Amino acid sequence: MIRACIFDLDGVVVNTARYHFLAWNRLAKELGFFFSETDNELLKGVSRMRSLDILLETGGLDLPVDQKEILAARKNEWYLEFIRKMSPDEILPGVTHFLELLRAEGIPAAMGTASKNAGLILKQIGMEHVFDCLIDGYQVTHAKPDPEVFLKAASSMGMAPEQCVVFEDALAGIEAAHRGGMKCIGVGDPGVLKTADKVIPGFIEINLNILLF
Ligand code: B16
Ligand code: MG
């Protein structure tokens, strides 16, 4: 039986993928190649440095580590320009209501994200006190599809993996949940998120029955 929920951030609670894309696209332009929205799909759920490697592969570039660190920091500065303007309006529809349903039933909710900007994003959208725990890119050494982020979230809530369900928009995150022994509800297109145990288009009109497997 499901007793706790773990939420991914980007693509589940907010759509920061757009801001990641604009910043990566700008970096690619500076480096002299084009990075499309379709290329950006490969970066969803993937860590910042792995995202940069994928971007550089797209442009056929191979750079030393110190230069990559500079580029990743520059991209993050551009990304933060968008994040600093975020407000609670950007919480995806139905998310707040669903979290209230969980709270009313005493079902804990954690956040498990690859992002190192999650604390700031949650503050900007007024959700810094909503989740029972936050496991972000600073607390994991192995990125999704490794299950570390979700296993840490489950353990901080005092739950066994099989008592948790993960809400994820990325294939790497679905794999991470499954490798951690958790059920996973995909948030997005069922044609893409084929490996999820269930798929919802978003949280509008979703109630606690979604937790029944
Ligand atoms: P940052 P999630 C992920 O968030 C994004 O989907 C991914 O595109 C991004 O590269 C990653 O966070 C790292 O983000 O640069 O802010 O540390 O989907 O795991 O919530
Ligand atoms: Mg995501």
Side-chain angles (χ1 to χ4, degrees):
M1 192 182 135
I2 297 301
R3 293 188 48 212
C5 294
I6 304 174
F7 293 80
D8 173 54
L9 176 60
D10 174 31
V12 172
V13 172
V14 285
N15 187 10
T16 36
R18 178 82 198 140
Y19 304 141
H20 279 298
F21 167 66
L22 292 171
W24 285 127
N25 175 275
R26 183 171 169 182
L27 184 67
K29 209 185 250 173
E30 275 208 355
L31 293 169
F33 63 92
F34 181 66
F35 190 72
S36 71
E37 256 185 288
T38 312
D39 296 328
N40 191 64
E41 285 299 307
L42 297 173
L43 309 190
K44 286 191 176 171
V46 172
S47 74
R48 193 181 308 165
M49 290 314 286
R50 179 69 196 127
S51 297
L52 176 62
D53 284 337
I54 296 171
L55 178 119
L56 293 175
E57 275 164 32
T58 310
L61 294 178
D62 187 16
L63 299 174
V65 178
D66 54 340
Q67 267 197 53
K68 287 204 275 192
E69 273 163 12
I70 293 168
L71 294 180
R74 191 180 302 162
K75 177 266 170 180
N76 196 51
E77 256 320 303
W78 294 330
Y79 176 65
L80 284 173
E81 286 173 16
F82 294 110
I83 299 307
R84 291 190 194 105
K85 289 186 208 141
M86 283 183 86
S87 70
D89 301 347
E90 291 187 57
I91 300 170
L92 290 172
V95 170
T96 301
H97 178 62
F98 186 68
L99 287 165
E100 282 164 5
L101 294 178
L102 292 177
R103 185 158 294 273
E105 275 306 304
I107 300 171
M111 172 153 286
T113 168
S115 177
K116 291 186 168 172
N117 295 301
L120 175 62
I121 295 170
L122 289 175
K123 188 162 172 277
Q124 290 295 123
I125 63 173
M127 281 190 135
E128 70 264 60
H129 303 302
V130 169
F131 293 94
D132 294 278
C133 84
L134 163 65
I135 306 295
D136 64 14
Y138 286 109
Q139 286 150 78
V140 292
T141 42
H142 306 291
K144 301 169 189 175
D146 189 282
E148 184 184 8
V149 62
F150 297 139
L151 290 173
K152 282 196 168 156
S155 125
S156 339
M157 293 187 285
M159 296 287 168
E162 58 274 18
Q163 294 175 311
C164 300
V165 65
V166 174
F167 289 90
E168 250 296 346
D169 71 311
L171 290 170
I174 297 170
E175 187 182 335
H178 286 159
R179 279 168 60 181
M182 301 174 198
K183 289 267 192 279
C184 188
I185 299 176
V187 182
D189 179 351
V192 176
L193 305 176
K194 288 190 179 120
T195 47
D197 299 289
K198 294 180 188 183
V199 180
I200 55 174
F203 288 89
I204 294 177
E205 290 174 19
I206 298 297
N207 59 39
L208 297 183
N209 287 336
I210 196 73
L211 304 182
L212 301 173
F213 284 91

